[in-house]
Amino acid sequence: MTTNPSSTAAAGRSGHRGVLFAMCLSLVLVVASVTALNLALPDLAVDLNASNSSLTWIADGYTVSLAALVLPLGALGDRIGRRKVLVAGNLVFGGAAALAALSSSTSELIAWRVVMGVGAAMIMPGTLATITAAFPPHKKAQGVATWSGFAAAGGIIGMLAAGGLLEAWSWKSIFATSAAVAVLCALVAVLLSPETKSSTAEPFDWEGTVSTALAVGTLVYGIIEGNEQGWTRPEVLAAFAVTALSLLAYVVLGLRSKHPMLDPRLFRLRGFSTGALTILTQFMAVFGFFFVGLQFLQLILGYGPLKSAVALIPVAVAVLPTTQITPRLVSRIGLKAVMASGLLLLALGMLWLSRLDIDSGYLAFVGGLGLAGVGMGLTGSSGTSAIVGSLGPDRQGVASAMNDTTREVGSAIGIALMGSVFAGQYRSTLPESIGQLPADAAETVRHSAAGGLEVAAHMGAGGIQLADAVRDAFMSGFSDAMATVAALLVVAAAACLVLAPRHAEGPPAEAPDGLVELVEDKAPEELPATTAAAGLTEEQPAGRSRS
């Protein structure tokens, strides 16, 4: 077994700040691409005649492929080098973004968004894994907190950039700019970041890769198409059946494998499992909100793209300082209290937003944003530290990829779930008088609120009543979507209060019978560092589970 360089040496000549800059730049590119296109959804609905379902797939095609592949590609980076995979991912991402800018149909755009997601899955796990490998133990907490802050704020950064572009150009400019930034990210990574990889070479887990990818893809497909076609349609029921069988296969094959990509036994670690639950539900709420909330700003408040993005800055203002103080809060009041409090604050923010109506102004909207932003800051940093702190340094690629997987699965499910709840309620609330419109116009109204308002704008004085009906239907769907995710966040907070360890766990010791030993409820002084790699350096052996 070879020994990886020490964390100090691994940082290279650029130093830890250079590594952090390079990794956060690539991270922001990936996260920003989840949200940037949300500002263009009204334009896409009109320009490409996209339905609510198509808009959901345009947003979710990227996150589904990212969520499905981030874990196996994180393991690949552990084997062959994280920087190699990250740089290659930036080039794949950039090429796909350039071709997406040339799309002339929804199906073409969705296809290139899927390929962009593959590139993003190559990029994202290497960002956190490189930080945890290159930083010394006493700096890892701040490094992880900074990474978590940019992971949360990256969405706002992407929307600000997209808003500025859309003020002058079409939605195609978002993809052209993303392609150029991807090339810049690849260059910066080559210049500033070290090459790190696991000191052990294990066989690639193809069974785990296929089963997890199938589970994520079919789950999101079932949610989106179930709302669009009907929950009892054979193809929808088949999708959910494949999801269940794929998850079962992952567990059974993972328990039998000598080198599983992600050992199912790791979920017995309470910090690992509740950290994953925290991140999943946080991102489910946040990115589902971005998908629906930006349309509220544009269609109800009448904001332009840039003003809509600027209106969400209070989220970043709340998130970034909160992530920086979260490590100290965890050491003072414990992991369980911080994660549960963050989820409850996020739920309160979503519930606040669910009470808005067609006459609500921006001040009412920003109140919910502030609560949600503080909740995001608490959950993002503490959840990430709980996950990566549960595994040793040789498994940081997998730990990072698991953290990324929960984020992207949460994003994909959140967009699909909240988009579906919104679309279903929107259609059901539209008045029956819509049927009196010409067939094409009526179909456009049912397809999307943006399309409905476009139809109303061309009807002169007679369109005022239609516009009011469309906005009422929009707000009904918006409120239901926010209330749904608020309820799920409360359930997740309750689960954390019951299951999460009071303090962070360290990496599991290797038990004689091959099962992981759990390290729970120890006082802080009895544990290693409570952040990534649990304070171990790359020179120390990693405790790993075996099957």
Side-chain angles (χ1 to χ4, degrees), residues 315-395:
V315 175
V317 171
V319 166
L320 289 173
T322 304
T323 58
Q324 295 300 304
I325 65 170
T326 297
R328 282 176 284 177
L329 287 175
V330 170
S331 64
R332 187 170 294 224
I333 66 175
L335 185 68
K336 179 200 297 261
V338 173
M339 289 198 299
S341 298
L343 288 170
L344 288 173
L345 281 171
L346 187 50
L348 189 58
M350 295 296 109
L351 187 61
W352 179 304
L353 292 169
S354 75
R355 307 300 298 171
L356 300 181
D357 57 37
I358 196 170
D359 296 317
S360 298
Y362 178 68
L363 287 179
F365 182 78
V366 81
L369 288 189
L371 289 170
V374 175
M376 288 166 60
L378 292 174
T379 53
S381 181
S382 59
T384 296
S385 290
I387 293 171
V388 299
S390 299
L391 300 180
D394 273 353
R395 304 303 299 273

Side-chain angles (χ1 to χ4, degrees), residues 66-79 121 125 198 202-216 246-247 249-267 272 391 394-403 405 544-547:
L66 171 52
L69 296 175
V70 69
L71 191 56
L73 290 174
L76 180 65
D78 281 353
R79 287 173 55 80
S198 173
E202 297 177 350
F204 193 77
D205 181 12
W206 290 106
E207 294 87 355
T209 297
V210 172
S211 60
T212 53
L214 272 176
V216 173
S246 298
L247 290 173
Y250 156 71
V251 173
V252 172
L253 294 172
L255 292 173
R256 292 180 179 178
S257 174
K258 292 183 178 179
H259 302 287
M261 177 177 61
L262 180 68
D263 196 329
R265 296 175 180 86
L266 290 175
F267 288 96
F272 186 88
L391 300 180
D394 273 353
R395 304 303 299 273
Q396 284 302 291
V398 172
S400 172
M402 180 60 193
N403 177 66
T405 298
R544 294 176 299 153
S545 60
R546 296 177 304 181
S547 52

